[in-house]
Structure formats: C-alpha cells, structure tokens
Amino acid sequence: MAATVTRFRPKAIFEWGTHVGKSARIFYEIIDSFNIPSQVYSFDLPDDVEHNEHPHETRGMLVKGLSKVSLFQEDGVTGALKISQKKKINSRDMLFFIDGDHSYESVKRELSAVIKNHPDAKVLLHDTFYQSEKSKYNVGPWKAIDEFLKKNKGYRSISTTTGLPGMTLIYKIK
C-alpha cells in the first residue's frame, strides 16, 4: 500500500468496505507521513443493509474526524465513481482499493467499472494470493484479475506472492 501511494502520489484514494477504517487509516498515515496532497474517500454499507461484517456503530472509528478522510454509506464503486466524476479528478491521479475477499463476481464488477470509467487509474486489489481450486478458499479474486489482464493487454500487474492475503496492483502501461 505504501509503495503504491508513494510511487504514484494519487490525489484521490477510493476504498470501500470501510468497516472500522483499517485500510482508510493506513492510506491516511501514508499520505500524512509522506506529505502527499491526497484525500481518502471511504465507503461502507448503509445501516439498513445487513452483512456479516457490517460494523454498525463502530464504522470508521479509526478515521472519524480526520480531515483527509471522508466517510460515506453507499455501494463503494458506485459512490467512488460519482465523486470522481463530480470532482473532475484526472484518472491518472486516482487510486482505487478493491478488497478482493468479497468474491469473483464483485471483483470482476468493481474492476471493470473502475477501468471503464477511469482507464488510467491505478487499482490496488487486496486478498489476491492465488489459491488452488482444491483449497476452495478465495480463488475468485485471482481469477477475476487473471481474466481482466488477458482481455486488457495494455495493463501491467505487480503482485505480492509470498502468502496470504496478497495484493495486486494494476495500472496502464504508458
């Protein structure tokens, strides 16, 4: 996460699945420590949507009140795309953080939506360590990324492959 943010210095970081705000807090600490002029936009489920990881009253507790972090309650990719278009942020200046442990379908949907709307954005995906089909654990994110890269030859990926949970960075080749 730190390498991606310090290398590309995004003006806007979009992440969803806020929960208590761990990822948003990491991004905040990076931009604060390295004096990167950026804003973190963090999204989580509305109160009336049930999910086994719904944080309810602990939502965003690690980032509440931080001036460089804005919290929202709505579908993450939808909200992120609305804000990025409203604020007219250049695609090159955006970083999207997708939590891959959700599923093949959600990673495919979210990655496709981000790149369709912002082809020059950087996308960092979490929980992408390749597992064998036998493991029946978290194979979807890797599969969605692999399919995306096969269909989109103009993108490069860099992955941590030393074990769980793994991360993959995808960005357009210049």
Side-chain angles (χ1 to χ4, degrees):
M1 293 169 85
T4 297
V5 174
T6 57
R7 163 63 178 89
F8 293 108
R9 303 180 68 80
K11 292 181 180 165
I13 300 170
F14 299 95
E15 67 96 27
W16 42 94
T18 305
H19 200 251
V20 296
K22 290 177 187 175
S23 298
R25 184 62 186 233
I26 292 168
F27 286 124
Y28 167 80
E29 293 294 342
I30 296 165
I31 63 176
D32 190 57
S33 296
F34 291 95
N35 289 323
I36 297 171
S38 187
Q39 181 72 26
V40 178
Y41 300 92
S42 186
F43 298 82
D44 210 332
L45 298 170
D47 289 330
D48 62 347
V49 175
E50 276 306 313
H51 188 274
N52 63 337
E53 292 184 16
H54 199 297
H56 298 286
E57 61 277 344
T58 61
R59 176 187 304 102
M61 70 181 197
L62 299 176
V63 292
K64 279 185 181 169
L66 297 176
S67 64
K68 296 177 184 177
V69 179
S70 299
L71 296 172
F72 302 89
Q73 286 184 261
E74 65 182 294
D75 175 69
V77 72
T78 304
L81 293 174
K82 279 195 286 188
I83 288 173
S84 66
Q85 291 163 353
K86 179 181 172 184
K87 293 194 174 279
K88 299 185 186 323
I89 303 165
N90 189 308
S91 291
R92 292 184 307 271
D93 296 326
M94 295 181 203
L95 171 64
F96 291 85
F97 183 70
I98 297 174
D99 193 348
D101 68 352
H102 295 152
S103 71
Y104 163 81
E105 292 81 13
S106 68
V107 171
K108 182 177 179 176
R109 176 183 80 87
E110 292 168 358
L111 179 57
S112 296
V114 166
I115 295 300
K116 177 183 176 192
N117 287 278
H118 299 291
D120 292 322
K122 284 66 173 176
V123 182
L124 186 61
L125 299 104
H126 183 250
D127 290 320
T128 61
F129 181 72
Y130 177 71
Q131 306 275 337
S132 72
E133 291 288 337
K134 287 184 205 175
S135 74
K136 297 182 180 170
Y137 174 75
N138 219 17
V139 293
W142 181 88
K143 183 178 176 186
I145 292 167
D146 186 55
E147 287 177 7
F148 172 84
L149 292 170
K150 285 178 179 172
K151 292 178 183 173
N152 297 276
K153 299 293 184 194
Y155 289 86
R156 179 173 185 203
S157 72
I158 299 173
S159 296
T160 58
T161 57
T162 54
L164 293 171
M167 283 204 196
T168 301
L169 170 67
I170 295 175
Y171 62 97
K172 196 168 196 178
I173 301 168
K174 294 182 181 186

